[in-house]
Amino acid sequence: MTIVIPSRGLRERAALLWRSIDSVRDQGGVRAVPLVVLNGAQRASEVEGALRAASGVRLIVREEASLAAALRVGREAVDSAWYGTLDDDDTLLPGALARRVRELETHPEANVVVTNGLLRRDGRDTVHIPPDARVATAPLQALRDRNWLLPGSWLARSEGVGPELFDGMPHHRECTYLALRFASEYRMRWVQEPTVVYHLGSPAAVSRSRDFFLGQTAALQHMLNLPLPAWFRRHLRWSIAATYHESADILWRDGDLEEAWRHHLRSLVWWCGVRYLPFTRHLLGATWRRTVARVSQAVS
């Protein structure tokens, strides 16, 4: 089987990347090959060189940084019956892939299996999804409460899940997008047993950047293009209004009032965003204080 590992190949994350690769190569009961897709021009030359020299590792190098494109290119290179993905700072638990294969072999009608995972911060683990989340019986309803898909928590049958899985994937909320597609377009099995460790607090993580937080609204709007039931589309609209408001709050605190106003007004465009109307007073106050300060500076 093939596990696609997209990576920017950064020097400061090289040790984490090798940890991920080893967690694939060390899987028992299956023959698993890590396929690393170096994604973008930021990659360190020594990281690329070490990957080219490594045994049991396949490598693809892309000049343009795009997670969706890297995953699709990786999927196009899959030549095995099973495939999955793994972030370059996460790890598979021992026996993870054998457990997933066993689930798919037991249920030949299924296209993909998704498992639970462990969230690890400072050496302490927390189970990602509690057993009462109803992911197995009502995955879309469960997704409304919490995203149950971790980047390295799934395995697909290659003949049933092609490269088109990654078509249309937004720049942010990639796992939410995949979870929506698994739950609504494919035959999915859920396994409550954790098989992956999702490491929190890794250095140079994209999910900790300002751009990540400000890019949530575009990703959620993109998901409205998916064939989803009306009740879930309403949930997405509530989420879009909320993320516009959260972005406005971040921009206001950063002093970027022009962008804060734009995001705030966009939150009010959605009928469910009326609850954010009181936030207007914060922007009016900040705008008034800035105007007074500029006038005073001009007069003096």
Side-chain angles (χ1 to χ4, degrees):
M1 73 180 62
T2 306
I3 301 298
V4 180
I5 305 177
S7 175
R8 289 175 291 162
L10 302 180
R11 183 178 295 107
E12 59 267 37
R13 289 169 65 94
L16 303 181
L17 172 59
W18 286 107
R19 182 182 66 183
S20 298
I21 290 171
D22 288 340
S23 78
V24 175
R25 292 192 293 191
D26 294 343
Q27 287 292 302
V30 297
R31 181 181 179 273
V33 177
L35 170 57
V36 179
V37 182
L38 286 184
N39 194 24
Q42 285 184 306
R43 64 186 184 275
S45 58
E46 62 267 31
V47 174
E48 180 179 347
L51 289 168
R52 290 189 184 278
S55 61
V57 178
R58 297 176 63 191
L59 177 65
I60 296 175
V61 178
R62 299 184 66 258
E63 293 301 324
E64 181 186 357
S66 166
L67 178 58
L71 290 170
R72 197 185 204 286
V73 167
R75 170 61 186 89
E76 289 170 347
V78 169
D79 55 4
S80 55
W82 319 96
Y83 79 95
T85 64
L86 185 67
D87 272 5
D88 68 351
D89 60 340
D90 294 336
T91 50
L92 297 176
L93 290 168
L97 298 181
R99 176 66 183 90
R100 299 179 195 178
V101 169
R102 191 161 63 249
E103 186 71 18
L104 287 172
E105 288 180 337
T106 305
H107 299 276
E109 77 285 356
N111 303 120
V112 61
V113 58
V114 180
T115 79
N116 210 342
L118 300 177
L119 308 181
R120 180 169 296 172
R121 184 186 292 275
D122 300 328
R124 301 169 67 178
D125 291 343
T126 304
V127 176
H128 179 46
I129 298 297
D132 60 352
R134 299 188 303 145
V135 183
T137 56
L140 270 180
Q141 287 87 339
L143 189 61
R144 182 176 54 186
D145 300 326
R146 183 174 183 178
N147 183 13
W148 33 258
L149 185 73
L150 294 173
S153 66
W154 59 274
L155 187 75
R157 200 183 301 273
S158 298
E159 65 179 7
V161 184
E164 66 278 1
L165 172 66
F166 305 105
D167 290 346
M169 178 183 283
H171 186 54
H172 300 292
R173 296 280 186 106
E174 297 92 346
C175 282
T176 302
Y177 177 82
L178 289 181
L180 281 172
R181 297 203 63 184
F182 285 155
S184 61
E185 299 177 42
Y186 294 90
R187 294 183 296 275
M188 186 191 94
R189 294 288 302 177
W190 167 258
V191 173
Q192 183 65 24
E193 175 188 346
T195 67
V196 66
V197 179
Y198 184 77
H199 294 266
L200 300 167
S202 298
V206 173
S207 60
R208 297 165 64 187
S209 68
R210 184 175 183 265
D211 288 344
F212 175 83
F213 289 106
L214 298 182
Q216 304 301 300
T217 49
L220 289 169
Q221 285 180 302
H222 187 79
M223 293 176 202
L224 285 173
N225 297 323
L226 294 174
L228 299 168
W231 63 266
F232 199 93
R233 295 172 68 82
R234 287 194 297 272
H235 166 70
L236 281 178
R237 293 188 183 99
W238 277 85
S239 298
I240 290 167
T243 52
Y244 267 129
H245 170 68
E246 291 166 3
S247 296
D249 185 65
I250 291 172
L251 292 162
W252 166 60
R253 294 177 188 278
D254 286 350
D256 190 347
L257 291 181
E258 289 77 11
E259 283 299 311
W261 272 110
R262 289 191 186 95
H263 282 75
H264 176 55
L265 293 175
R266 288 169 182 165
S267 75
L268 300 178
V269 166
W270 303 85
W271 64 266
C272 48
V274 68
R275 64 191 187 279
Y276 302 122
L277 189 60
F279 184 72
T280 308
R281 71 179 188 273
H282 295 294
L283 294 179
L284 285 172
T287 303
W288 171 254
R289 288 189 294 273
R290 175 171 291 185
T291 302
V292 170
R294 286 176 175 173
V295 170
S296 299
Q297 186 178 16
V299 170
S300 60

